[in-house]
Amino acid sequence: MGLETIFGNSFLTSRVDEAVNWARKYSFFQYPFVTACCGMEFMSVWASTYDIARFGAEFPRFSPRQADVLFVVGTVNEKLAPSLKRVYDQMAEPKWVVSFGVCATSGGFYDNYATVQGIDKIIPVDVYIPGCPPRPQAILDALIKLQEKVSKETVLKYKGLK
Amino acid sequence: MKAIESLKEKFSDKIISHDSFAGQDFITAKKECLKDMAVFLRDELHFDFLSDLTCVDYKGYPGRENAPRFETVYHFYSHKTKERISLKFPIEETSPNIDSLTGLWLAANWYEREVYDMYGIHFTGHPDLRRILMYEEFKGHPLRKDYPLKARQPRIPHED
């Protein structure tokens, strides 16, 4: 990186991936797809005690077209599955999915006729959070894991080049 | 006179059995007399509230090998006399139908749809007997004892 030495402190060189990912990972706009009791823990993460705003991800968008991260919070049943797929399809790239709690991850103890046995049967998932419901710490951990994942991506991926 | 006594007197030939437990009265009767009993309960004995309507599948239940497979169960409450009574009507597997109570209590509408959805009991005279919890494409009735526990059905597409 030789340019800084020529132009002094007024210049900073980086890779495009680094700069874009840095911006993306600290400004997640989430779509909360909340269907069940896990939502209570999710709300507490938003509130002041755990304060998800520290990670730049506090702002929920209730339109999937304006969101980056889909939080599937709670049980998804077969009747709801088409709607979840629809919400995911409406989100613009780049987009990520967090499966929140055991019900979204595997169906949980709802091993029955009505419940989808994990949302990864319908949409791709980036981070799974175990727990029934997960503690707020686990949610923040998942968010950090998602940030790590995002920081390793390349912008070429979304242009179909990689 | 308690409601169960009045019912026993009026429908003596239709009642199969009756029981009282923990202050609750139960009557098992033939399904043909459901409507007559319901009208009598509502108009004469002031049971103005249908608090629950459900069904039991007794398939494989010990001691009921020769009894009818299903039983619909009605729980009534009277706000006037503060009395409760439960009616049960055995239903054969070969003809799973019974009269609808929708005309007498509007509350029966969704209860009967639920019982139809889960057990496949047809309520004759119901104005809109559709599934209420499962989706239309769903095959079978999931709370029947012979519905396979691990059965999964094809996922439905999104409709606008």
Side-chain angles (χ1 to χ4, degrees):
Chain A
M1 304 298 173
L3 282 175
E4 287 100 333
T5 53
I6 301 168
F7 292 98
N9 290 334
S10 60
F11 237 84
L12 185 66
T13 56
S14 177
R15 294 189 301 138
V16 173
D17 280 347
E18 299 281 346
V20 169
N21 288 343
W22 175 80
R24 280 178 179 166
K25 74 179 182 181
Y26 292 124
S27 65
F28 284 136
F29 281 48
Q30 28 172 314
Y31 182 92
F33 193 91
V34 180
T35 57
C37 38
C38 276
M40 295 296 149
E41 296 296 313
F42 197 42
M43 288 171 214
S44 83
V45 181
W46 273 341
S48 53
T49 309
Y50 296 98
D51 194 12
I52 203 170
R54 293 179 291 155
F55 303 89
E58 79 279 21
F59 203 34
R61 302 305 301 189
F62 295 104
S63 164
R65 293 167 196 276
Q66 299 169 348
D68 307 310
V69 184
L70 175 62
F71 271 85
V72 183
V73 183
T75 324
V76 176
N77 56 40
E78 293 287 350
K79 203 173 177 179
L80 185 66
S83 302
L84 176 61
K85 177 77 165 64
R86 180 65 167 265
V87 166
Y88 177 78
D89 288 343
Q90 284 184 338
M91 290 169 69
E93 297 275 6
K95 57 186 171 185
W96 301 276
V97 177
V98 176
S99 167
F100 191 112
V102 281
C103 291
T105 303
S106 69
F109 56 67
Y110 298 110
D111 186 4
N112 60 24
Y113 58 91
T115 309
V116 177
Q117 302 297 298
I119 57 162
D120 50 10
K121 300 241 189 303
I122 313 165
I123 55 177
V125 177
D126 293 284
V127 180
Y128 298 90
I129 311 176
C132 182
R135 286 188 60 81
Q137 291 91 328
I139 299 153
L140 295 176
D141 186 47
L143 191 71
I144 293 166
K145 286 217 161 43
L146 183 61
Q147 288 179 338
E148 284 168 12
K149 184 170 183 179
V150 169
S151 66
K152 289 185 188 119
E153 288 185 353
T154 167
V155 289
L156 300 176
K157 180 179 150 192
Y158 298 105
K159 294 186 179 296
L161 296 172
K162 193 170 181 183
Chain B
M1 191 156 67
K2 286 189 80 181
I4 188 169
E5 305 299 332
S6 314
L7 278 173
K8 269 155 59 179
E9 200 174 287
K10 188 163 167 67
F11 297 96
S12 54
D13 54 331
K14 303 284 186 193
I15 288 177
I16 300 165
S17 66
H18 58 85
D19 191 17
S20 293
F21 177 75
Q24 292 245 43
D25 297 328
F26 304 89
I27 284 181
T28 307
K30 291 178 181 164
K31 72 175 182 182
E32 299 81 44
C33 69
L34 163 66
K35 261 202 160 149
D36 294 338
M37 267 188 167
V39 169
F40 181 69
L41 276 174
R42 191 187 70 165
D43 296 342
E44 307 293 325
L45 303 177
H46 311 290
F47 281 86
D48 49 358
F49 183 47
L50 172 65
S51 60
D52 196 12
L53 190 172
T54 183
C55 180
V56 186
D57 182 357
Y58 282 106
K59 189 183 177 69
Y61 194 88
R64 290 188 58 114
E65 287 79 6
N66 299 318
R69 178 173 169 186
F70 299 104
E71 232 174 40
T72 48
V73 187
Y74 300 79
H75 299 280
F76 294 101
Y77 179 71
S78 167
H79 286 104
K80 190 175 179 190
T81 63
K82 308 277 187 285
E83 207 178 345
R84 290 178 196 279
I85 195 161
S86 304
L87 306 185
K88 302 178 188 177
F89 297 92
I91 294 177
E92 293 286 351
E93 188 178 0
T94 45
S95 59
N97 54 60
I98 190 166
D99 280 334
S100 169
L101 288 191
T102 319
L104 297 169
W105 287 272
L106 283 177
N109 189 322
W110 283 14
Y111 283 137
E112 288 176 352
R113 282 178 63 186
E114 188 193 9
V115 170
Y116 163 70
D117 193 357
M118 294 291 143
Y119 294 92
I121 306 290
H122 289 262
F123 289 88
T124 319
H126 191 287
D128 183 25
L129 196 62
R130 285 179 295 130
R131 288 187 182 277
I132 191 168
L133 294 169
M134 303 309 291
Y135 39 97
E136 284 301 313
E137 294 85 348
F138 192 84
K139 300 263 191 305
H141 303 282
L143 288 196
R144 285 191 173 196
K145 292 293 179 195
D146 52 4
Y147 186 86
L149 192 62
K150 297 278 177 182
R152 297 289 183 270
Q153 304 210 4
R155 198 144 292 136
I156 48 171
H158 190 277
E159 285 172 33
D160 286 308

